[in-house]
Amino acid sequence: MTESTARFVLEPEAIGVLERYGIPYPRHGLARSPEEAARIANDLGYPVVLKVVSPDVVHKSDAGGVVVGVGDGKLVRTAYERISDGVQAAVPRARIEGVLVCEQAPEGFEVIVGGLDDPAFGPIVMFGLGGIFTEVHKDVAFRIAPLDRRDAEDMVREIEAYPLLTGARGQPSYDLNAAADLLLSVSRLLMEHREIVELDLNPVRLYHKGLLVLDARIAASDVG
Ligand code: ADP
Ligand code: MG
């Protein structure tokens, strides 16, 4: 975070912002009890992913706050308890608002999309490889918002891993149009919500057709 007055918005609220910009996130529901989590999972279909919703937990996995591949209602209830207990142990006195139950997304090619409000340049959009590649290779592209379509397409082509995106070894290309659309949507979102000081979509899974944002972290300043 770049400002002491900034706060992280809870993930359900962050997802709501994404949805208003047509940015796809897996189907989900917020559960306040193990039983409610199981009911939501039954509606979504299995497997599901459970994730803690807490204003005191920024990196959910690190705090034991994410369980993937949950296969039935009984396991959902167990996973809910495991998350509550694990997060309380990792972050004493953490306030737990509930658990987000999400449809489990298929495997895909993971990238990250970020945004920040630079004191000198204003909103900036970032695109890069996901996972350990971000930290190790720093394979990222930046543009000052607002982006036009050409900027967005250039960003996608600019990263070193671009050949992997176009489909190595005779594989079909990932949906690079969808990636460019996402960058444009994030650009618009940042321009229209200047209270957002930082945005982190990590990971975003690219498919041969379409994409899904699997994690949305937004920090907003309290003023305004
Ligand atoms: P955090 O980054 O706070 O630890 P994430 O929401 O990114 O939490 O979840 C951690 C990991 O769990 C993700 O990197 C992804 O691999 C996996 N994951 C999260 N949500 C889903 C989902 N809906 N479907 C499949 N995998 C998921
Ligand atoms: Mg994440």
Side-chain angles (χ1 to χ4, degrees), residues 60-61 200-203 214-217:
K60 298 177 289 288
S61 312
D200 192 17
L201 309 180
N202 180 13
L214 299 193
D215 182 22
R217 186 144 50 230

Side-chain angles (χ1 to χ4, degrees), residues 54-133:
S54 166
D56 305 306
V57 177
V58 176
H59 298 287
K60 298 177 289 288
S61 312
D62 294 352
V66 180
V67 180
V68 301
V70 185
D72 65 37
K74 187 161 179 290
L75 292 169
V76 167
R77 291 194 294 275
T78 314
Y80 190 108
E81 303 285 7
R82 184 142 59 91
I83 286 174
S84 307
D85 295 347
V87 168
Q88 289 297 346
V91 185
R93 289 192 301 280
R95 292 160 289 172
I96 295 177
E97 303 280 335
V99 168
L100 200 59
V101 182
C102 305
E103 196 166 42
Q104 180 158 305
E107 296 301 318
F109 190 96
E110 291 197 352
V111 295
I112 67 174
V113 171
L116 59 92
D117 198 359
D118 183 86
F121 298 112
I124 288 179
V125 181
M126 189 267 276
F127 175 74
L129 268 202
I132 57 160
F133 296 103

